Amino acid sequence: MKIYITTGVGFGKTPLSAFDGALMDAGVMNFNLLTLSSVIPIGTTIVHDKMPVEDSEWGNKLYCVKAEMRSRQSGRFIGAALGWYQLEDGRGVFVEHEETGEVESSVEADLKEEVKRSIMDLCRNRSIDFEEEKMGIKIRTTQVKDLPASVIVVAAYKSEAWS
């Protein structure tokens, strides 16, 4: 199985329309997102790219793990991050975090630290020895300016028609 990691940033007249813009930028705007609880199945490969999408998939369910942040607080930086940890057989876990702050580098640093702490806990809960070099992370940040903004990081598992 392939899981696609993609990110997006969007701006709009409302936080909701900014979120739609972030979905568009990430390549997943025409799906109904069904959020999963973050477990990576055995045999999974993580792909750092947008998921290939066919026009016929419009309105399909998209099983995913996502981190997203929306804001209209001008001048603030917002960030979203997905972190993951995989064993040799491909199984693993995702964690998702969001952050807001006045300095972009602080938002990124806080996200990295929170992701690492969460993954360490999830590994401990599963009796898995944590090795930092096995941890992956994808972060997306932006500054809110004149319009509401949104950032998203998506781990897209699978598109499925309704029936």
Side-chain angles (χ1 to χ4, degrees), residues 110-155:
D110 289 348
L111 285 168
K112 286 177 185 175
E113 186 60 30
E114 286 293 300
V115 163
K116 181 179 174 181
R117 287 180 185 169
S118 289
I119 288 176
M120 290 174 72
D121 281 346
L122 271 65
C123 285
R124 187 188 70 247
N125 292 343
R126 290 164 174 78
S127 300
I128 296 170
D129 292 330
F130 175 78
E131 299 173 41
E132 191 166 351
E133 63 274 4
K134 290 184 180 180
M135 184 181 85
I137 188 168
K138 188 69 172 179
I139 297 173
R140 189 68 188 255
T141 62
T142 196
Q143 186 175 29
V144 183
K145 294 184 180 174
D146 299 328
L147 293 170
S150 178
V151 291
I152 190 166
V153 184
V154 177

mmCIF file of all heavy atoms in Angstrom, residues 110-155:
data_model
loop_
_atom_site.group_PDB
_atom_site.id
_atom_site.type_symbol
_atom_site.label_atom_id
_atom_site.label_comp_id
_atom_site.label_asym_id
_atom_site.label_seq_id
_atom_site.Cartn_x
_atom_site.Cartn_y
_atom_site.Cartn_z
ATOM 1 N N ASP A 110 8.415 24.255 17.608
ATOM 2 C CA ASP A 110 7.410 23.684 18.512
ATOM 3 C C ASP A 110 6.749 22.459 17.875
ATOM 4 O O ASP A 110 6.523 21.452 18.558
ATOM 5 C CB ASP A 110 6.347 24.719 18.873
ATOM 6 C CG ASP A 110 6.866 25.808 19.798
ATOM 7 O OD1 ASP A 110 7.987 25.659 20.351
ATOM 8 O OD2 ASP A 110 6.154 26.822 19.958
ATOM 9 N N LEU A 111 6.438 22.547 16.591
ATOM 10 C CA LEU A 111 5.821 21.413 15.903
ATOM 11 C C LEU A 111 6.755 20.204 15.896
ATOM 12 O O LEU A 111 6.335 19.079 16.185
ATOM 13 C CB LEU A 111 5.431 21.793 14.475
ATOM 14 C CG LEU A 111 4.195 22.669 14.338
ATOM 15 C CD1 LEU A 111 4.075 23.222 12.924
ATOM 16 C CD2 LEU A 111 2.938 21.909 14.721
ATOM 17 N N LYS A 112 8.022 20.425 15.584
ATOM 18 C CA LYS A 112 8.991 19.325 15.566
ATOM 19 C C LYS A 112 9.095 18.659 16.932
ATOM 20 O O LYS A 112 9.124 17.433 17.036
ATOM 21 C CB LYS A 112 10.366 19.834 15.124
ATOM 22 C CG LYS A 112 10.453 20.139 13.657
ATOM 23 C CD LYS A 112 11.819 20.705 13.288
ATOM 24 C CE LYS A 112 11.841 21.130 11.830
ATOM 25 N NZ LYS A 112 13.084 21.794 11.458
ATOM 26 N N GLU A 113 9.128 19.457 17.977
ATOM 27 C CA GLU A 113 9.257 18.909 19.336
ATOM 28 C C GLU A 113 8.000 18.142 19.740
ATOM 29 O O GLU A 113 8.082 17.052 20.322
ATOM 30 C CB GLU A 113 9.556 20.028 20.331
ATOM 31 C CG GLU A 113 9.841 19.539 21.731
ATOM 32 C CD GLU A 113 11.049 18.608 21.823
ATOM 33 O OE1 GLU A 113 11.988 18.732 21.016
ATOM 34 O OE2 GLU A 113 11.044 17.743 22.727
ATOM 35 N N GLU A 114 6.825 18.700 19.448
ATOM 36 C CA GLU A 114 5.570 18.015 19.788
ATOM 37 C C GLU A 114 5.433 16.696 19.032
ATOM 38 O O GLU A 114 5.006 15.688 19.599
ATOM 39 C CB GLU A 114 4.370 18.914 19.500
ATOM 40 C CG GLU A 114 4.192 20.035 20.493
ATOM 41 C CD GLU A 114 3.830 19.539 21.880
ATOM 42 O OE1 GLU A 114 2.794 18.876 22.024
ATOM 43 O OE2 GLU A 114 4.602 19.803 22.819
ATOM 44 N N VAL A 115 5.782 16.704 17.749
ATOM 45 C CA VAL A 115 5.722 15.475 16.951
ATOM 46 C C VAL A 115 6.646 14.423 17.553
ATOM 47 O O VAL A 115 6.245 13.271 17.749
ATOM 48 C CB VAL A 115 6.068 15.757 15.474
ATOM 49 C CG1 VAL A 115 6.412 14.473 14.724
ATOM 50 C CG2 VAL A 115 4.913 16.491 14.786
ATOM 51 N N LYS A 116 7.863 14.803 17.863
ATOM 52 C CA LYS A 116 8.825 13.845 18.433
ATOM 53 C C LYS A 116 8.319 13.279 19.759
ATOM 54 O O LYS A 116 8.353 12.062 19.973
ATOM 55 C CB LYS A 116 10.184 14.517 18.633
ATOM 56 C CG LYS A 116 11.236 13.585 19.185
ATOM 57 C CD LYS A 116 12.575 14.300 19.331
ATOM 58 C CE LYS A 116 13.596 13.415 20.007
ATOM 59 N NZ LYS A 116 14.876 14.113 20.176
ATOM 60 N N ARG A 117 7.810 14.144 20.632
ATOM 61 C CA ARG A 117 7.302 13.672 21.928
ATOM 62 C C ARG A 117 6.132 12.707 21.748
ATOM 63 O O ARG A 117 6.047 11.687 22.432
ATOM 64 C CB ARG A 117 6.853 14.858 22.786
ATOM 65 C CG ARG A 117 7.988 15.670 23.349
ATOM 66 C CD ARG A 117 7.433 16.801 24.166
ATOM 67 N NE ARG A 117 8.495 17.684 24.623
ATOM 68 C CZ ARG A 117 8.275 18.849 25.164
ATOM 69 N NH1 ARG A 117 7.036 19.295 25.358
ATOM 70 N NH2 ARG A 117 9.278 19.599 25.555
ATOM 71 N N SER A 118 5.230 13.044 20.845
ATOM 72 C CA SER A 118 4.075 12.173 20.619
ATOM 73 C C SER A 118 4.505 10.821 20.064
ATOM 74 O O SER A 118 4.018 9.775 20.510
ATOM 75 C CB SER A 118 3.082 12.833 19.649
ATOM 76 O OG SER A 118 2.440 13.921 20.265
ATOM 77 N N ILE A 119 5.401 10.832 19.090
ATOM 78 C CA ILE A 119 5.860 9.566 18.507
ATOM 79 C C ILE A 119 6.580 8.726 19.557
ATOM 80 O O ILE A 119 6.381 7.506 19.625
ATOM 81 C CB ILE A 119 6.741 9.811 17.267
ATOM 82 C CG1 ILE A 119 5.864 10.297 16.111
ATOM 83 C CG2 ILE A 119 7.491 8.540 16.871
ATOM 84 C CD1 ILE A 119 6.606 10.659 14.852
ATOM 85 N N MET A 120 7.369 9.348 20.390
ATOM 86 C CA MET A 120 8.038 8.608 21.461
ATOM 87 C C MET A 120 7.009 7.927 22.370
ATOM 88 O O MET A 120 7.174 6.754 22.729
ATOM 89 C CB MET A 120 8.955 9.530 22.260
ATOM 90 C CG MET A 120 10.172 9.973 21.478
ATOM 91 S SD MET A 120 11.173 11.213 22.344
ATOM 92 C CE MET A 120 11.909 10.191 23.614
ATOM 93 N N ASP A 121 5.943 8.659 22.714
ATOM 94 C CA ASP A 121 4.887 8.076 23.557
ATOM 95 C C ASP A 121 4.165 6.937 22.846
ATOM 96 O O ASP A 121 3.912 5.887 23.436
ATOM 97 C CB ASP A 121 3.864 9.136 23.960
ATOM 98 C CG ASP A 121 4.337 10.024 25.099
ATOM 99 O OD1 ASP A 121 5.331 9.676 25.757
ATOM 100 O OD2 ASP A 121 3.682 11.062 25.326
ATOM 101 N N LEU A 122 3.817 7.129 21.568
ATOM 102 C CA LEU A 122 3.121 6.087 20.831
ATOM 103 C C LEU A 122 3.990 4.838 20.693
ATOM 104 O O LEU A 122 3.488 3.714 20.775
ATOM 105 C CB LEU A 122 2.670 6.587 19.461
ATOM 106 C CG LEU A 122 1.274 7.240 19.425
ATOM 107 C CD1 LEU A 122 1.208 8.518 20.220
ATOM 108 C CD2 LEU A 122 0.834 7.478 17.991
ATOM 109 N N CYS A 123 5.280 5.022 20.482
ATOM 110 C CA CYS A 123 6.194 3.872 20.428
ATOM 111 C C CYS A 123 6.244 3.169 21.789
ATOM 112 O O CYS A 123 6.146 1.943 21.862
ATOM 113 C CB CYS A 123 7.591 4.315 20.002
ATOM 114 S SG CYS A 123 7.743 4.683 18.249
ATOM 115 N N ARG A 124 6.376 3.947 22.851
ATOM 116 C CA ARG A 124 6.415 3.359 24.192
ATOM 117 C C ARG A 124 5.144 2.566 24.484
ATOM 118 O O ARG A 124 5.193 1.454 25.000
ATOM 119 C CB ARG A 124 6.624 4.450 25.252
ATOM 120 C CG ARG A 124 6.856 3.853 26.663
ATOM 121 C CD ARG A 124 6.868 4.898 27.770
ATOM 122 N NE ARG A 124 5.520 5.423 27.954
ATOM 123 C CZ ARG A 124 5.146 6.674 27.680
ATOM 124 N NH1 ARG A 124 6.013 7.555 27.240
ATOM 125 N NH2 ARG A 124 3.906 7.064 27.879
ATOM 126 N N ASN A 125 3.986 3.131 24.112
ATOM 127 C CA ASN A 125 2.713 2.452 24.343
ATOM 128 C C ASN A 125 2.620 1.121 23.601
ATOM 129 O O ASN A 125 1.863 0.236 24.005
ATOM 130 C CB ASN A 125 1.539 3.344 23.922
ATOM 131 C CG ASN A 125 1.385 4.552 24.805
ATOM 132 O OD1 ASN A 125 1.927 4.624 25.909
ATOM 133 N ND2 ASN A 125 0.661 5.539 24.314
ATOM 134 N N ARG A 126 3.377 0.987 22.514
ATOM 135 C CA ARG A 126 3.353 -0.227 21.701
ATOM 136 C C ARG A 126 4.581 -1.104 21.929
ATOM 137 O O ARG A 126 4.839 -2.035 21.175
ATOM 138 C CB ARG A 126 3.240 0.153 20.220
ATOM 139 C CG ARG A 126 1.887 0.718 19.878
ATOM 140 C CD ARG A 126 1.867 1.445 18.544
ATOM 141 N NE ARG A 126 0.506 1.847 18.199
ATOM 142 C CZ ARG A 126 -0.128 2.892 18.726
ATOM 143 N NH1 ARG A 126 0.479 3.649 19.630
ATOM 144 N NH2 ARG A 126 -1.356 3.177 18.372
ATOM 145 N N SER A 127 5.372 -0.770 22.944
ATOM 146 C CA SER A 127 6.608 -1.509 23.264
ATOM 147 C C SER A 127 7.571 -1.546 22.081
ATOM 148 O O SER A 127 8.208 -2.563 21.806
ATOM 149 C CB SER A 127 6.292 -2.933 23.743
ATOM 150 O OG SER A 127 5.497 -2.880 24.900
ATOM 151 N N ILE A 128 7.678 -0.413 21.369
ATOM 152 C CA ILE A 128 8.597 -0.269 20.248
ATOM 153 C C ILE A 128 9.738 0.635 20.694
ATOM 154 O O ILE A 128 9.504 1.714 21.244
ATOM 155 C CB ILE A 128 7.880 0.359 19.022
ATOM 156 C CG1 ILE A 128 6.779 -0.574 18.523
ATOM 157 C CG2 ILE A 128 8.871 0.679 17.921
ATOM 158 C CD1 ILE A 128 5.867 0.058 17.469
ATOM 159 N N ASP A 129 10.962 0.198 20.463
ATOM 160 C CA ASP A 129 12.126 1.028 20.770
ATOM 161 C C ASP A 129 12.183 2.194 19.789
ATOM 162 O O ASP A 129 12.187 1.988 18.570
ATOM 163 C CB ASP A 129 13.419 0.214 20.673
ATOM 164 C CG ASP A 129 13.522 -0.836 21.766
ATOM 165 O OD1 ASP A 129 12.978 -0.605 22.868
ATOM 166 O OD2 ASP A 129 14.132 -1.891 21.510
ATOM 167 N N PHE A 130 12.214 3.416 20.310
ATOM 168 C CA PHE A 130 12.251 4.616 19.476
ATOM 169 C C PHE A 130 13.671 4.877 18.999
ATOM 170 O O PHE A 130 14.609 4.916 19.790
ATOM 171 C CB PHE A 130 11.733 5.826 20.265
ATOM 172 C CG PHE A 130 11.843 7.126 19.513
ATOM 173 C CD1 PHE A 130 10.922 7.443 18.527
ATOM 174 C CD2 PHE A 130 12.877 8.014 19.778
ATOM 175 C CE1 PHE A 130 11.030 8.637 17.826
ATOM 176 C CE2 PHE A 130 12.987 9.210 19.084
ATOM 177 C CZ PHE A 130 12.055 9.517 18.102
ATOM 178 N N GLU A 131 13.821 5.050 17.695
ATOM 179 C CA GLU A 131 15.084 5.460 17.087
ATOM 180 C C GLU A 131 14.771 6.686 16.233
ATOM 181 O O GLU A 131 14.040 6.591 15.248
ATOM 182 C CB GLU A 131 15.662 4.344 16.223
ATOM 183 C CG GLU A 131 15.972 3.066 16.993
ATOM 184 C CD GLU A 131 16.384 1.934 16.066
ATOM 185 O OE1 GLU A 131 17.136 2.189 15.103
ATOM 186 O OE2 GLU A 131 15.911 0.807 16.301
ATOM 187 N N GLU A 132 15.335 7.822 16.608
ATOM 188 C CA GLU A 132 14.960 9.085 15.973
ATOM 189 C C GLU A 132 15.119 9.078 14.452
ATOM 190 O O GLU A 132 14.325 9.684 13.734
ATOM 191 C CB GLU A 132 15.758 10.245 16.578
ATOM 192 C CG GLU A 132 15.228 11.596 16.151
ATOM 193 C CD GLU A 132 15.762 12.742 16.976
ATOM 194 O OE1 GLU A 132 16.416 12.503 18.008
ATOM 195 O OE2 GLU A 132 15.497 13.892 16.592
ATOM 196 N N GLU A 133 16.109 8.357 13.939
ATOM 197 C CA GLU A 133 16.334 8.342 12.487
ATOM 198 C C GLU A 133 15.210 7.629 11.720
ATOM 199 O O GLU A 133 15.098 7.780 10.502
ATOM 200 C CB GLU A 133 17.690 7.719 12.131
ATOM 201 C CG GLU A 133 17.851 6.269 12.525
ATOM 202 C CD GLU A 133 18.325 6.062 13.962
ATOM 203 O OE1 GLU A 133 18.477 7.043 14.718
ATOM 204 O OE2 GLU A 133 18.536 4.899 14.321
ATOM 205 N N LYS A 134 14.344 6.902 12.403
ATOM 206 C CA LYS A 134 13.203 6.252 11.757
ATOM 207 C C LYS A 134 11.968 7.157 11.714
ATOM 208 O O LYS A 134 10.950 6.797 11.143
ATOM 209 C CB LYS A 134 12.833 4.953 12.483
ATOM 210 C CG LYS A 134 13.845 3.848 12.302
ATOM 211 C CD LYS A 134 13.348 2.589 12.974
ATOM 212 C CE LYS A 134 14.334 1.454 12.810
ATOM 213 N NZ LYS A 134 13.853 0.229 13.469
ATOM 214 N N MET A 135 12.074 8.327 12.322
ATOM 215 C CA MET A 135 10.955 9.262 12.391
ATOM 216 C C MET A 135 10.947 10.139 11.144
ATOM 217 O O MET A 135 11.986 10.633 10.711
ATOM 218 C CB MET A 135 11.092 10.137 13.634
ATOM 219 C CG MET A 135 9.942 11.083 13.861
ATOM 220 S SD MET A 135 10.162 12.114 15.334
ATOM 221 C CE MET A 135 11.128 13.448 14.665
ATOM 222 N N GLY A 136 9.757 10.325 10.568
ATOM 223 C CA GLY A 136 9.589 11.255 9.464
ATOM 224 C C GLY A 136 8.684 12.393 9.894
ATOM 225 O O GLY A 136 7.883 12.244 10.828
ATOM 226 N N ILE A 137 8.813 13.530 9.223
ATOM 227 C CA ILE A 137 7.963 14.674 9.556
ATOM 228 C C ILE A 137 7.777 15.539 8.315
ATOM 229 O O ILE A 137 8.684 15.686 7.500
ATOM 230 C CB ILE A 137 8.548 15.511 10.716
ATOM 231 C CG1 ILE A 137 7.557 16.572 11.189
ATOM 232 C CG2 ILE A 137 9.878 16.111 10.339
ATOM 233 C CD1 ILE A 137 7.936 17.243 12.494
ATOM 234 N N LYS A 138 6.566 16.090 8.177
ATOM 235 C CA LYS A 138 6.261 17.046 7.121
ATOM 236 C C LYS A 138 5.522 18.202 7.768
ATOM 237 O O LYS A 138 4.522 18.011 8.468
ATOM 238 C CB LYS A 138 5.401 16.392 6.041
ATOM 239 C CG LYS A 138 5.203 17.238 4.824
ATOM 240 C CD LYS A 138 6.488 17.373 4.050
ATOM 241 C CE LYS A 138 6.247 18.061 2.719
ATOM 242 N NZ LYS A 138 7.475 18.224 1.973
ATOM 243 N N ILE A 139 6.016 19.421 7.557
ATOM 244 C CA ILE A 139 5.463 20.635 8.172
ATOM 245 C C ILE A 139 5.085 21.613 7.070
ATOM 246 O O ILE A 139 5.810 21.759 6.085
ATOM 247 C CB ILE A 139 6.491 21.292 9.120
ATOM 248 C CG1 ILE A 139 6.833 20.350 10.279
ATOM 249 C CG2 ILE A 139 5.982 22.639 9.627
ATOM 250 C CD1 ILE A 139 7.954 20.864 11.167
ATOM 251 N N ARG A 140 3.966 22.304 7.280
ATOM 252 C CA ARG A 140 3.584 23.399 6.380
ATOM 253 C C ARG A 140 3.213 24.599 7.237
ATOM 254 O O ARG A 140 2.442 24.479 8.195
ATOM 255 C CB ARG A 140 2.398 22.976 5.511
ATOM 256 C CG ARG A 140 2.052 23.962 4.399
ATOM 257 C CD ARG A 140 3.157 24.001 3.327
ATOM 258 N NE ARG A 140 2.966 25.042 2.358
ATOM 259 C CZ ARG A 140 2.540 24.849 1.111
ATOM 260 N NH1 ARG A 140 2.215 23.644 0.701
ATOM 261 N NH2 ARG A 140 2.417 25.868 0.290
ATOM 262 N N THR A 141 3.789 25.758 6.923
ATOM 263 C CA THR A 141 3.502 26.985 7.667
ATOM 264 C C THR A 141 3.162 28.108 6.695
ATOM 265 O O THR A 141 3.509 28.063 5.514
ATOM 266 C CB THR A 141 4.705 27.436 8.522
ATOM 267 O OG1 THR A 141 5.807 27.711 7.660
ATOM 268 C CG2 THR A 141 5.083 26.399 9.554
ATOM 269 N N THR A 142 2.504 29.121 7.216
ATOM 270 C CA THR A 142 2.284 30.353 6.462
ATOM 271 C C THR A 142 1.988 31.470 7.450
ATOM 272 O O THR A 142 1.673 31.211 8.619
ATOM 273 C CB THR A 142 1.144 30.222 5.432
ATOM 274 O OG1 THR A 142 1.223 31.308 4.493
ATOM 275 C CG2 THR A 142 -0.229 30.244 6.092
ATOM 276 N N GLN A 143 2.078 32.683 6.968
ATOM 277 C CA GLN A 143 1.703 33.835 7.795
ATOM 278 C C GLN A 143 0.335 34.336 7.357
ATOM 279 O O GLN A 143 0.057 34.450 6.160
ATOM 280 C CB GLN A 143 2.724 34.964 7.659
ATOM 281 C CG GLN A 143 2.445 36.114 8.599
ATOM 282 C CD GLN A 143 3.514 37.186 8.562
ATOM 283 O OE1 GLN A 143 4.167 37.399 7.549
ATOM 284 N NE2 GLN A 143 3.693 37.872 9.684
ATOM 285 N N VAL A 144 -0.498 34.629 8.339
ATOM 286 C CA VAL A 144 -1.807 35.223 8.074
ATOM 287 C C VAL A 144 -1.568 36.711 7.827
ATOM 288 O O VAL A 144 -0.933 37.373 8.644
ATOM 289 C CB VAL A 144 -2.774 35.018 9.260
ATOM 290 C CG1 VAL A 144 -4.142 35.580 8.935
ATOM 291 C CG2 VAL A 144 -2.844 33.549 9.656
ATOM 292 N N LYS A 145 -2.060 37.210 6.715
ATOM 293 C CA LYS A 145 -1.876 38.630 6.398
ATOM 294 C C LYS A 145 -3.231 39.310 6.283
ATOM 295 O O LYS A 145 -3.930 39.448 7.266
ATOM 296 C CB LYS A 145 -1.028 38.773 5.137
ATOM 297 C CG LYS A 145 0.401 38.271 5.350
ATOM 298 C CD LYS A 145 1.266 38.493 4.157
ATOM 299 C CE LYS A 145 2.675 37.967 4.464
ATOM 300 N NZ LYS A 145 3.542 38.011 3.321
ATOM 301 N N ASP A 146 -3.628 39.698 5.091
ATOM 302 C CA ASP A 146 -4.874 40.440 4.901
ATOM 303 C C ASP A 146 -6.117 39.552 4.870
ATOM 304 O O ASP A 146 -7.220 40.042 5.070
ATOM 305 C CB ASP A 146 -4.807 41.251 3.604
ATOM 306 C CG ASP A 146 -3.681 42.276 3.631
ATOM 307 O OD1 ASP A 146 -3.375 42.782 4.727
ATOM 308 O OD2 ASP A 146 -3.096 42.558 2.570
ATOM 309 N N LEU A 147 -5.936 38.272 4.576
ATOM 310 C CA LEU A 147 -7.053 37.342 4.462
ATOM 311 C C LEU A 147 -6.861 36.181 5.427
ATOM 312 O O LEU A 147 -5.727 35.843 5.770
ATOM 313 C CB LEU A 147 -7.123 36.764 3.034
ATOM 314 C CG LEU A 147 -7.485 37.715 1.910
ATOM 315 C CD1 LEU A 147 -7.255 37.032 0.557
ATOM 316 C CD2 LEU A 147 -8.931 38.174 2.045
ATOM 317 N N PRO A 148 -7.949 35.530 5.845
ATOM 318 C CA PRO A 148 -7.795 34.299 6.617
ATOM 319 C C PRO A 148 -6.943 33.291 5.840
ATOM 320 O O PRO A 148 -6.937 33.276 4.608
ATOM 321 C CB PRO A 148 -9.234 33.801 6.768
ATOM 322 C CG PRO A 148 -10.062 35.047 6.723
ATOM 323 C CD PRO A 148 -9.364 35.911 5.697
ATOM 324 N N ALA A 149 -6.228 32.465 6.595
ATOM 325 C CA ALA A 149 -5.315 31.493 5.990
ATOM 326 C C ALA A 149 -5.547 30.115 6.591
ATOM 327 O O ALA A 149 -6.091 29.974 7.694
ATOM 328 C CB ALA A 149 -3.871 31.921 6.230
ATOM 329 N N SER A 150 -5.101 29.098 5.852
ATOM 330 C CA SER A 150 -5.175 27.725 6.314
ATOM 331 C C SER A 150 -3.966 26.961 5.794
ATOM 332 O O SER A 150 -3.497 27.221 4.686
ATOM 333 C CB SER A 150 -6.458 27.062 5.809
ATOM 334 O OG SER A 150 -6.523 25.707 6.205
ATOM 335 N N VAL A 151 -3.484 26.035 6.608
ATOM 336 C CA VAL A 151 -2.435 25.100 6.180
ATOM 337 C C VAL A 151 -2.912 23.688 6.492
ATOM 338 O O VAL A 151 -3.672 23.476 7.442
ATOM 339 C CB VAL A 151 -1.074 25.366 6.864
ATOM 340 C CG1 VAL A 151 -0.464 26.660 6.375
ATOM 341 C CG2 VAL A 151 -1.205 25.371 8.378
ATOM 342 N N ILE A 152 -2.454 22.737 5.679
ATOM 343 C CA ILE A 152 -2.852 21.352 5.877
ATOM 344 C C ILE A 152 -1.705 20.431 5.463
ATOM 345 O O ILE A 152 -0.947 20.750 4.551
ATOM 346 C CB ILE A 152 -4.139 21.017 5.084
ATOM 347 C CG1 ILE A 152 -4.692 19.646 5.476
ATOM 348 C CG2 ILE A 152 -3.920 21.109 3.590
ATOM 349 C CD1 ILE A 152 -6.103 19.394 5.006
ATOM 350 N N VAL A 153 -1.588 19.339 6.193
ATOM 351 C CA VAL A 153 -0.717 18.232 5.802
ATOM 352 C C VAL A 153 -1.600 16.996 5.832
ATOM 353 O O VAL A 153 -2.276 16.737 6.829
ATOM 354 C CB VAL A 153 0.486 18.056 6.752
ATOM 355 C CG1 VAL A 153 1.404 16.951 6.239
ATOM 356 C CG2 VAL A 153 1.261 19.361 6.922
ATOM 357 N N VAL A 154 -1.612 16.259 4.725
ATOM 358 C CA VAL A 154 -2.505 15.105 4.580
ATOM 359 C C VAL A 154 -1.691 13.859 4.275
ATOM 360 O O VAL A 154 -0.800 13.885 3.428
ATOM 361 C CB VAL A 154 -3.519 15.334 3.436
ATOM 362 C CG1 VAL A 154 -4.402 14.109 3.232
ATOM 363 C CG2 VAL A 154 -4.368 16.557 3.693
ATOM 364 N N ALA A 155 -2.035 12.770 4.951
ATOM 365 C CA ALA A 155 -1.552 11.440 4.592
ATOM 366 C C ALA A 155 -2.752 10.738 3.964
ATOM 367 O O ALA A 155 -3.679 10.328 4.661
ATOM 368 C CB ALA A 155 -1.058 10.689 5.823
#
